[in-house]
Structures are given as C-alpha cells and as structure tokens.
Amino acid sequence: MNNKISKYKVLLFYKYVDINDPESIVKEHLDWCTRNGIKGRVFFAKEGVNGTVSGTSGQIEKYKAHLSGYSYFRDIWFKEDDADVVAFKKMHVRLKNEIVGGNLQNTLLEDGGKRLSPEQLMNFYKSGKDFIIVDARNWYETIIGKFKNAITPQMKNFREWKKVVDEDLQEYKDKTVVTYCTGGVRCEKASAYMVENGFKDVYQLNGGIFNFIKKYPDTYWEGGMFVFDERRVINPNTKEELKHIASCYFCGRPTSYYINCHNVDCDRIIVSCHECKVEKDYCCSDECRASQNKRKVYHG
Ligand SMILES: [Zn+2]
Ligand SMILES: [Zn+2]
C-alpha cells in the first residue's frame, strides 16, 4: 500500500477443508509458533483453518512454508500485508466448532455465491450495473469503512447473519447481490446461506476487501478497513474525500480510528481521532475515566 520497506508482515488466510485431527494440529501449531516467535490468532476446526499472524519477513516466510507443509493446506491462499509493528502481542491457537462462528454448520460451501474478482466488481460499478452490495461484517467494522452504496446490516456478530437474510434482505431475492467481508471467509457461508434460501443471483467478493483495496485503492472503497489486531485499521485511500467516512465521537472531525473504552466494564467501541483519544485518556466518559477497573496498556 506504500513504498517504504516495512520490517514486519501480517498474513491473513483461511481454508475450508475436512480435517480429521484438528486437536493434534492445534497443539503442534502452538508449539511451533511459540518456538519461532510468531504472534497472532489461528483457529482450527474439523471444517478447516482461519487465521491472522504477524512477524518479521523472515519469520513469516518460515510460517508460510510450515503451514503449507500440511497436506490439508498445501494450496492455501496467503494474503500478505506490510506493517510497522508486530500486529499481535500473543499467540492464540484454538480449536473451534466453526472457523467463523455463525451457526452455519448446516450451510454447504458448495452452495456459495459465484466468486467475483476485484476486476469484476470494478466493472459492476463502472458499467452502472443494477446490483445490491451487502456487508457481511459487524456494525463496528462497517462504521469506519464500506463499499460505495453498500447495505451495512448493524450486526453485533456474525451469528446474526441468518436473521439479516431472513428478515432484512428478502426484498432483494431476485436481484444481483454481492456479499463481502474482510478476507472472504465469512462470505463463503454468508453467500451460501442466501443461495440456499432462494436468492437467485449471488456473488461473493473473492479474497474480500483486503484483495480489492490492494489492487484498487481510491476507487469504490470508502474509509478505512477494520482489522482485529494492534493496527486497528488499514487506510488504503489517499484521496481526501475517500479517506474517512466516520467522524470523531468527541470533536466531529473525520477519522477512521476507534478505541475500546479503557474502562474494562464499559469496553464500548467509539470512533475517536488520535487527539481526542489522548485527551480523553482512552475513555468514553467522565464516569469511565474515574473507573478503578481501567486497562493498563495503551495502544496507538
Ligand atoms: Zn476528535
Ligand atoms: Zn466507557
């Protein structure tokens, strides 16, 4: 996204594949990552793997070789980004029922929407095609960035997707619908659920927002992209009018940054510019600032 050489890398990856023994992989994987200084979050389940990890360029090259050394993950697609910091403090490797929790165990991957490349999405927009674009991410991700004209269901988490489809999106059943998420993993099942429930022409953005903004910054993506790591947000755009869609809760200036209120009992997500964040001591209110149960570690 820029030309300066970054010391660190962040990898984003997933693969749906039947795994016989995810328990043993979890243990082995955690050991390997700990020994090799890899930090991040990786989930394994009987249905596959979903993860994001960070480290130096050298560490990340080793990691890629290690993970794709498993026959299950030989052809896994690594999406790679530069970072100025190690994007995680710890390494978590967990066994899950689903690699993304959506209560979509009965949704079949083979029903998934047709894969739409970034080039094809560009074409949809440029040609003025009549299509609906739906964000499959949570409300706090969509408030700081989204595709032009996207529908952003205000979901607390991905488990609400079924309800969104069953209730809010019914009127679009006969339309061309495109779903998108950060790296594509949520859309595999989000789009399949729509197809299984009678939506006629469903596409999923292949490789997600990540893949699109790498190729086409300053086009149809508006604002920043929320990431679940220490970077918090990725800002792909340089055009002033496309940089931010959110505004600071405190001062109203445009920003894509956010904080989790440092009062642990509050923890709410608030869009805040850097200046206000510091001035308010990372808290949403006087009450939270006065709390005895505040986070000790500051970020950003
Ligand atoms: Zn502000
Ligand atoms: Zn608060």
Side-chain angles (χ1 to χ4, degrees), residues 248-253 255 272-277:
C248 176
Y249 171 77
F250 302 106
C251 73
R253 277 181 295 183
T255 182
S272 171
C273 70
H274 290 279
E275 289 77 9
C276 290
K277 169 188 83 175

Side-chain angles (χ1 to χ4, degrees), residues 84-279:
D84 299 328
V85 291
V86 175
F88 294 91
K89 292 201 168 76
K90 293 179 182 163
M91 185 71 212
H92 296 284
V93 183
R94 302 238 158 90
L95 181 67
K96 296 269 183 179
N97 287 323
E98 295 174 285
I99 57 173
V100 186
N103 284 334
L104 292 164
Q105 290 94 335
N106 299 324
T107 303
L108 301 175
L109 290 165
E110 51 265 43
D111 291 331
K114 292 163 270 188
R115 290 179 193 281
L116 192 72
S117 67
E119 290 74 15
Q120 289 171 309
L121 181 59
M122 279 297 281
N123 250 324
F124 275 21
Y125 274 115
K126 277 191 189 156
S127 66
K129 183 178 171 72
D130 181 21
F131 72 105
I132 302 295
I133 182 159
V134 187
D135 200 316
R137 301 172 304 151
N138 303 331
W139 71 267
Y140 50 84
E141 297 172 90
T142 66
I143 51 170
I144 61 168
K146 64 173 187 61
F147 276 106
K148 184 182 170 70
N149 300 329
I151 294 172
T152 54
Q154 299 296 297
M155 294 188 286
K156 282 206 281 295
N157 57 57
F158 190 50
R159 284 182 293 279
E160 295 183 350
W161 179 254
K162 283 183 178 180
K163 189 168 160 268
V164 166
V165 173
D166 297 346
E167 293 173 12
D168 306 338
L169 301 177
Q170 285 299 309
E171 61 186 296
Y172 306 118
K173 264 187 156 161
D174 296 322
K175 290 248 185 195
T176 297
V177 178
V178 177
T179 70
Y180 69 88
C181 61
T182 309
V185 65
R186 284 176 270 190
C187 284
E188 299 268 357
K189 286 198 175 177
S191 65
Y193 184 77
M194 296 181 93
V195 170
E196 289 175 357
N197 286 279
F199 284 75
K200 303 253 174 2
D201 191 29
V202 182
Y203 292 86
Q204 54 179 319
L205 180 60
N206 202 28
I209 303 159
F210 185 89
N211 194 29
F212 183 93
I213 58 178
K214 279 269 168 189
K215 290 185 175 145
Y216 300 112
D218 286 321
T219 59
Y220 298 102
W221 176 260
E222 302 169 338
M225 182 178 78
F226 189 107
V227 287
F228 292 89
D229 63 57
E230 299 285 318
R231 295 170 300 165
R232 303 180 82 77
V233 60
I234 291 173
N235 290 300
N237 296 333
T238 55
K239 277 187 194 162
E240 213 46 56
E241 66 274 24
L242 290 175
K243 272 187 184 168
H244 307 295
I245 63 165
S247 49
C248 176
Y249 171 77
F250 302 106
C251 73
R253 277 181 295 183
T255 182
S256 300
Y257 205 73
Y258 63 92
I259 56 172
N260 286 77
C261 179
H262 265 206
N263 172 8
V264 176
D265 305 317
C266 171
D267 196 43
R268 79 179 168 117
I269 290 179
I270 307 147
V271 175
S272 171
C273 70
H274 290 279
E275 289 77 9
C276 290
K277 169 188 83 175
V278 173
E279 192 191 313

